Amino acid sequence: MTNDTKDLVEQVRGGTSQRVRAAARLMSLIENFPERIPEFLVGAADWPEARMVIGLTGPPGCGKSVLADRLITALRTRSPDSCIGVIAVDPSSPFTGGAFLGDRLRMMRHAGDPNVFIRSAATRGHIGGLVLGVKAFIRVLGLAGCRTVLIETVGVGQNETEIVNVADFVVVAIAPGNGDAIQLLKCGLMEVGDIFVVNKADCDGAAQLYAQLLAVLRLNANGQKTGMPETCLVSALQRRGIEKLVDLFEKRAAGSEQVWQARRRQTMVDEVKAAVLEEARQRLSRVLGTGPIATQDLSRILRGEVTVTGFVDELIQKMTGSREDKKNYGQAG
Ligand SMILES: Nc1nc2c(ncn2[C@@H]2O[C@H](COP(=O)(O)OP(=O)(O)OP(=O)(O)O)[C@@H](O)[C@H]2O)c(=O)[nH]1
Ligand SMILES: [Mg+2]
């Protein structure tokens, strides 16, 4: 870790007024230099962590951002001293400015609250990178003292599902006006949800949609061990049902915190493992080379002159041999 990032980490941890800007800078570094994430997060295993990471997903326009805004208020009122982080993700569009603007505008009232961190996460076309980035953001937010982190992402397809699975539990929101519950829960939303919310209770059709939702979930729960997921009918606009939803969060958190933390820690180790394996793959690939020589070499396997295992042994030998050469050369120089 460079001194710069070390200083930033200390500032974020420090709890001073500088921590908001320091956290923002650290998150920008993570976004701009994703390949350096492991370096930025040195020591992260000992950083304070969020108590709960909530995924909030659902079809476009169902009211996720307004709901997020109301949830921030409710959570802040319940624990006035604790911080909240919000990550607004829009992986489906490369032109994310507009959507983020909308998300941010809806939560604008919290912009002046030093205990609320709102951050957008953009994709650079690579979903795996975005997932790693979001995970890193969660750690930075934990370090900054956020007890709760909310991830808002549009629920349309595989990519989003991957992101939302980073959360400890997932809230799926739907709203009347865009089809029935079955249509709305297509695209894997049904599988990903732990809590299901019908928003826009103030609109026509909300009660019917809620009844449909219960029927669909009941059908789906039949024969499954997990049982019926929790549900809630809310109007984000009119601030109705929000407290009940936060109660459901608390119910989930009670007794699960340690399990969640253990899971997050295991994920961290898995990421390091993935980084190590990737490095090994790249090095072996360099030794193997490309072009006609590599093709000739690999053809030995096809001719039965060497097995795959034996070939890999040779590559490893070549690799360590060349490292020894380098070392000797380095000493001599
Ligand atoms: N009537 C009514 N309108 C709502 C409610 N919640 C949100 N809206 C409206 O629904 C529209 C979309 O709200 P957003 O919060 O931006 O929805 P979103 O799901 O975040 O949208 P994307 O981020 O674009 O997917 C806005 O015009 C909101 O004012 C509600 O409870 N009742
Ligand atoms: Mg939104």
Side-chain angles (χ1 to χ4, degrees):
M1 186 155 41
T2 61
N3 280 340
D4 271 6
T5 46
K6 232 181 202 162
D7 285 351
L8 280 180
V9 166
E10 283 319 309
Q11 283 173 16
V12 178
R13 195 202 302 265
T16 62
S17 57
Q18 288 171 321
R19 85 191 198 294
V20 179
R21 282 187 63 187
R25 281 197 53 204
L26 196 53
M27 288 193 271
S28 295
L29 284 174
I30 285 168
E31 197 157 55
N32 293 329
F33 305 99
E35 71 283 0
R36 287 177 59 197
I37 289 178
E39 176 192 337
F40 296 143
L41 298 184
V42 166
D46 299 321
W47 291 2
E49 279 183 61
R51 186 172 147 250
M52 60 179 161
V53 180
I54 308 166
L56 174 58
T57 189
C62 67
K64 297 178 293 297
S65 297
V66 179
L67 190 57
D69 171 84
R70 305 316 193 231
L71 288 170
I72 295 170
T73 306
L75 289 160
R76 289 283 291 120
T77 312
R78 282 195 191 194
S79 321
D81 297 330
S82 79
C83 300
I84 297 173
V86 181
I87 305 173
V89 186
D90 181 9
S92 41
S93 157
F95 307 104
T96 46
F100 286 158
L101 197 62
D103 286 339
R104 285 182 160 234
L105 276 177
R106 307 223 192 281
M107 297 176 230
M108 202 60 190
R109 80 184 76 231
H110 303 288
D113 183 343
N115 284 8
V116 178
F117 293 71
I118 300 176
R119 179 76 199 189
S120 331
T123 175
R124 304 260 152 96
H126 171 42
I127 189 71
L130 181 60
V131 171
L132 282 183
V134 169
K135 283 182 185 166
F137 281 6
I138 293 170
R139 281 178 208 142
V140 173
L141 290 168
L143 183 69
C146 293
R147 297 282 284 152
T148 307
V149 175
L150 195 62
I151 308 169
E152 178 192 333
T153 176
V154 178
V156 279
Q158 188 70 44
N159 289 350
E160 289 71 12
T161 312
E162 239 184 274
I163 292 165
V164 94
N165 271 337
V166 167
D168 295 325
F169 63 89
V170 177
V171 180
V172 169
I174 56 174
N178 291 300
D180 62 27
I182 295 177
Q183 283 162 335
L184 289 170
L185 293 175
K186 274 184 189 164
C187 316
L189 281 178
M190 174 89 98
E191 292 72 19
V192 90
D194 298 296
I195 298 175
F196 289 82
V197 173
V198 170
N199 186 33
K200 308 197 184 180
D202 55 290
C203 292
D204 283 347
Q208 279 137 291
L209 185 65
Y210 191 64
Q212 273 173 12
L213 172 73
L214 291 181
V216 173
L217 292 178
R218 210 167 283 135
L219 212 76
N220 194 50
N222 259 350
Q224 286 193 9
K225 282 190 216 122
T226 42
M228 191 66 181
E230 261 118 9
T231 58
C232 200
L233 179 62
V234 309
S235 166
L237 202 66
Q238 297 184 345
R239 298 178 168 78
R240 281 195 282 138
I242 307 296
E243 289 300 322
K244 189 186 160 207
L245 187 53
V246 178
D247 287 342
L248 291 180
F249 296 170
E250 288 302 334
K251 200 172 131 194
R252 286 215 145 242
S256 299
E257 280 174 53
Q258 281 182 342
V259 179
W260 290 344
Q261 285 196 352
R263 197 188 82 139
R264 279 186 233 141
R265 209 145 292 157
Q266 184 56 47
T267 322
M268 229 188 279
V269 177
D270 290 346
E271 276 164 35
V272 176
K273 182 179 168 187
V276 167
L277 289 176
E278 177 56 22
E279 173 71 19
R281 195 193 66 78
Q282 283 184 16
R283 282 200 202 171
L284 280 174
S285 172
R286 274 199 294 274
V287 178
L288 174 62
T290 51
I293 295 181
T295 308
Q296 263 176 28
D297 228 11
L298 286 165
S299 298
R300 289 169 46 224
I301 299 177
L302 292 177
R303 290 197 296 270
E305 294 166 12
V306 60
T307 60
V308 171
T309 323
F311 189 85
V312 173
D313 285 343
E314 283 178 21
L315 282 183
I316 292 173
Q317 245 166 23
K318 266 190 219 164
M319 189 172 74
T320 45
S322 66
R323 279 175 63 85
E324 282 306 313
D325 286 350
K326 254 190 221 155
K327 252 195 245 159
N328 293 339
Y329 181 73
Q331 277 163 2

